Amino acid sequence: VRGSEFMFHMQGNEISSHCSRLIAVTNSAGEVLKSKPRAVVGGMTASVEIVLQKEICLERFCDCRQLGRFVLRQKGKTAGVGLVLEIL
């Protein structure tokens, strides 16, 4: 859900973050199934915009596969895993 708080885990960094925008629900091939969804539930693939509380060094997945992955955790449980596709 837009506005949800998460802990962003990447390469040993743990940073508070929140989801600022749900862009689209996609399939595993990256094709858009629905634009501007209201929520994303378990098992779905989606493009989302995440805002971090502080700046960190990130790499896009297409530039460096190892540094382009992250995990989102909420209340001690994994809420999602993802790839950095674009840096704004």
Side-chain angles (χ1 to χ4, degrees):
V1 177
R2 195 179 103 217
S4 296
E5 298 279 331
F6 298 99
M7 290 305 292
F8 182 90
H9 294 268
M10 180 181 203
Q11 299 295 323
N13 294 317
E14 185 175 314
I15 299 154
S16 183
S17 64
H18 71 274
C19 179
S20 65
R21 196 170 116 195
L22 299 175
I23 300 168
V25 172
T26 60
N27 62 12
S28 58
E31 299 166 350
V32 175
L33 301 176
K34 182 178 181 184
S35 294
K36 298 182 182 178
R38 297 181 101 187
V40 177
V41 296
M44 294 177 96
T45 305
S47 294
V48 299
E49 187 174 298
I50 299 170
V51 176
L52 304 178
Q53 292 292 327
K54 64 178 186 178
E55 294 181 6
I56 63 168
C57 183
L58 293 173
E59 289 287 337
R60 294 183 311 155
F61 183 75
C62 63
D63 296 333
C64 182
R65 294 174 62 96
Q66 294 83 6
L67 297 176
R69 296 184 171 129
F70 63 89
V71 176
L72 293 175
R73 293 184 59 89
Q74 188 175 44
K75 298 179 183 173
K77 296 186 179 180
T78 300
V81 294
L83 306 174
V84 177
L85 299 178
E86 185 177 349
I87 300 171
L88 304 176

